[in-house]
Amino acid sequence: QVQLQESGPGLVKPSQTLSLTCTVSGDSISSGGYYWTWIRQLPGKGLEWIGYVYNSGATYYNPSLTSRVIVSLGPSDNQFSLQLSSVTAADTGVYYCARGPYYDFWSDSRLYGMDVWGQGTTVTVSS
Amino acid sequence: EIVLTQSPGTLSLSPGERATLSCRASQSVSNNNLAWYQQKPGQAPRLIVHGASSRATGIPDRFSGSGSGTDFTLTIDRLEPEDFAMYYCQQYGTLLPVTFGGGTKVEIK
C-alpha cells in the first residue's frame, strides 16, 4: 500500500522560505515512472498545482509560482521536497504531496491522474 | 493554460437520486487526461475517475465519467450518504500547468 506523508514547519515568517518534505512508502520514487507532485489549497479556495518532479530530477512548475518554487528529490531516498521562497500571508494553506501522473514512455503521455495523496499539512505564514 | 469551469456550483439532492456534474475546458484536453476527485472536509482529495472515464481502484460502480475534448461529466447514480462532498475536475495532460476546476458541492437536500 502506497502512502505519502508531508512534514515540515507549520508556521513560517513572512519573507522566509517554506520548506516541506514528502516521505513515500510502498513505492520507489527512483525506479517508477511517476511524477511526484505538490498541490496546495488556500483557505476557502480550490486546489492549486504547485509543481512536480520526475525520477530523473526533471521539474515542472506552475507559472504563477515558478519564480519562488523549487521541487526536488530528496533529502533522503524516497523523499521529495518543496521550497517556496518569499512567502506572504497569501501562501497560508494546506499543502499536499501526491503521486502522479504516470509517464508512459511508449505513448509519450501522462496517465492516471494523482492516485495517492498525503493527508496534507497546514502551513501558516505569520510573524 | 486550460481553464476548467465546473457547473453547477452546488447541487442539492436527496440520497438515492442521481447527480450529474459538468466540467468544461477552455481548450481540448489532450488524450482525455481528465480526472475527478472527491474531497470531504478536513480530508485530502481522493481520485474517483482518471482518463475521463476510468474508475480508480476501489471506487464503486455508481460513479461514472464520460466525455472527451472539452466537455466532461461525472455521474453518481443512487447517491449514498457518503457521496455528499466537494468534487473537482482536473486536467493533467501535456499542456502545463495542471489545472483544477473550481469545484461542485453535492449537498443533501
Side-chain angles (χ1 to χ4, degrees):
Chain A
Q1 181 184 0
V2 180
Q3 294 184 313
L4 282 69
Q5 178 68 59
E6 305 90 351
S7 59
L11 181 64
V12 182
K13 288 183 167 49
S15 81
Q16 294 192 342
T17 296
L18 178 162
S19 296
L20 298 175
T21 297
C22 183
T23 301
V24 178
S25 58
D27 192 7
S28 170
I29 290 179
S30 60
S31 61
Y34 286 94
Y35 292 94
W36 299 88
T37 295
W38 286 98
I39 287 164
R40 70 180 183 177
Q41 189 164 33
L42 306 181
K45 299 292 179 83
L47 299 161
E48 180 181 31
W49 177 73
I50 298 171
Y52 50 45
V53 59
Y54 194 61
N55 62 16
S56 62
T59 53
Y60 305 83
Y61 300 134
N62 192 322
S64 68
L65 297 168
T66 192
S67 63
R68 299 195 291 132
V69 69
I70 298 174
V71 176
S72 58
L73 300 175
S76 299
D77 286 347
N78 253 24
Q79 292 182 324
F80 64 105
S81 300
L82 168 68
Q83 291 182 281
L84 183 66
S85 62
S86 304
V87 297
T88 70
D91 294 309
T92 293
V94 180
Y95 286 73
Y96 297 100
C97 59
R99 185 181 77 168
Y102 179 86
Y103 178 65
D104 182 71
F105 176 82
W106 298 109
S107 63
D108 188 28
S109 61
R110 292 164 171 82
L111 305 175
Y112 310 141
M114 280 125 202
D115 64 347
V116 184
W117 294 62
Q119 65 187 24
T121 187
T122 299
V123 178
T124 302
V125 178
S126 175
S127 56
Chain B
E1 172 175 329
I2 296 180
V3 177
L4 299 177
T5 302
Q6 291 189 241
S7 60
T10 303
L11 204 47
S12 298
L13 295 168
S14 301
E17 291 192 297
R18 169 183 288 184
T20 303
L21 288 66
S22 173
C23 177
R24 178 161 291 177
S26 59
Q27 55 188 288
S28 186
V29 176
S30 61
N31 296 318
N32 285 338
N33 291 149
L34 192 287
W36 291 92
Y37 298 86
Q38 177 193 72
Q39 188 179 33
K40 297 179 180 179
Q43 296 185 17
R46 174 193 182 198
L47 179 66
I48 301 294
V49 165
H50 62 85
S53 60
S54 298
R55 270 189 305 276
T57 303
I59 300 303
D61 61 7
R62 64 179 181 272
F63 289 88
S64 62
S66 63
S68 65
T70 60
D71 288 293
F72 300 89
T73 300
L74 176 69
T75 301
I76 313 171
D77 285 326
R78 304 177 309 278
L79 280 164
E80 297 284 344
E82 62 267 27
D83 301 335
F84 292 92
M86 185 70 79
Y87 291 84
Y88 294 96
C89 61
Q90 175 209 45
Q91 70 80 22
Y92 53 91
T94 53
L95 184 61
L96 295 179
V98 171
T99 52
F100 291 89
T104 291
K105 182 179 182 181
V106 179
E107 65 175 23
I108 299 177
K109 187 174 182 180

